[in-house]
Amino acid sequence: MQSYTIGQAARLLGVSPDTARRWADAGRVATRRDDSGRRLIDGRDLAAFSVVLAADATAEDDVPYTSARNAFPGIVTAVKLGDVAAQVEIQAGPHRLVSLLTREAVEELGLEVGMEATARVKSTNVHIDRT
């Protein structure tokens, strides 16, 4: 399972490293220390926290809606595999993006919950790039 440093998690969540550190200190997201003493967040824990954080943010009235040139770096929060098709959800800051693609594409990219990925939006299509 992929793990993220506080700085990486902050970038994925769209906040400063200090904010991510405060959330970890407050117990809002679980961390552990690696052999060198850096705090790490398990990918699945970060994915779950990003969904909660986005739900909290959308409940506020003053949340701005912006697009970063149609590329949304974030974290995979769900992967649903069918026989032929698949559905992948990415939480990119306050944005939840869902892409329908082939099962083969998901397997080739090795997509799983907790993994960093970028959703690219073109018209009505959402493309997923593994990062």
Side-chain angles (χ1 to χ4, degrees):
M1 170 51 58
Q2 187 165 349
S3 295
Y4 298 91
T5 65
I6 293 288
Q8 291 170 322
R11 183 176 50 80
L12 290 170
L13 296 173
V15 299
S16 73
D18 286 337
T19 297
R21 205 170 289 111
R22 281 192 296 275
W23 286 338
D25 290 344
R28 290 187 66 186
V29 62
T31 62
R32 63 178 169 77
R33 298 224 181 239
D34 66 7
D35 294 336
S36 64
R38 293 182 311 167
R39 290 199 298 184
L40 300 176
I41 302 171
D42 178 75
R44 288 190 183 273
D45 291 338
L46 184 59
F49 180 66
S50 71
V51 171
V52 170
L53 193 62
D56 291 346
T58 56
E60 300 173 12
D61 292 335
D62 61 348
V63 176
Y65 293 94
T66 63
S67 172
R69 297 188 185 248
N70 300 331
F72 296 85
I75 188 165
V76 176
T77 57
V79 176
K80 298 173 186 167
L81 297 174
D83 291 337
V84 176
Q87 178 178 315
V88 177
E89 294 181 25
I90 291 181
Q91 193 69 46
H95 308 288
R96 176 180 165 262
L97 296 112
V98 179
S99 179
L100 300 175
L101 57 165
T102 65
R103 179 186 180 120
E104 181 181 11
V106 171
E107 290 172 345
E108 284 179 5
L109 290 170
L111 295 175
E112 60 183 44
V113 172
M115 172 178 282
E116 186 176 352
T118 300
R120 297 197 186 275
V121 179
K122 174 149 169 89
S123 186
T124 59
N125 297 314
V126 177
H127 303 269
I128 305 294
D129 298 335
R130 180 175 174 178
T131 50

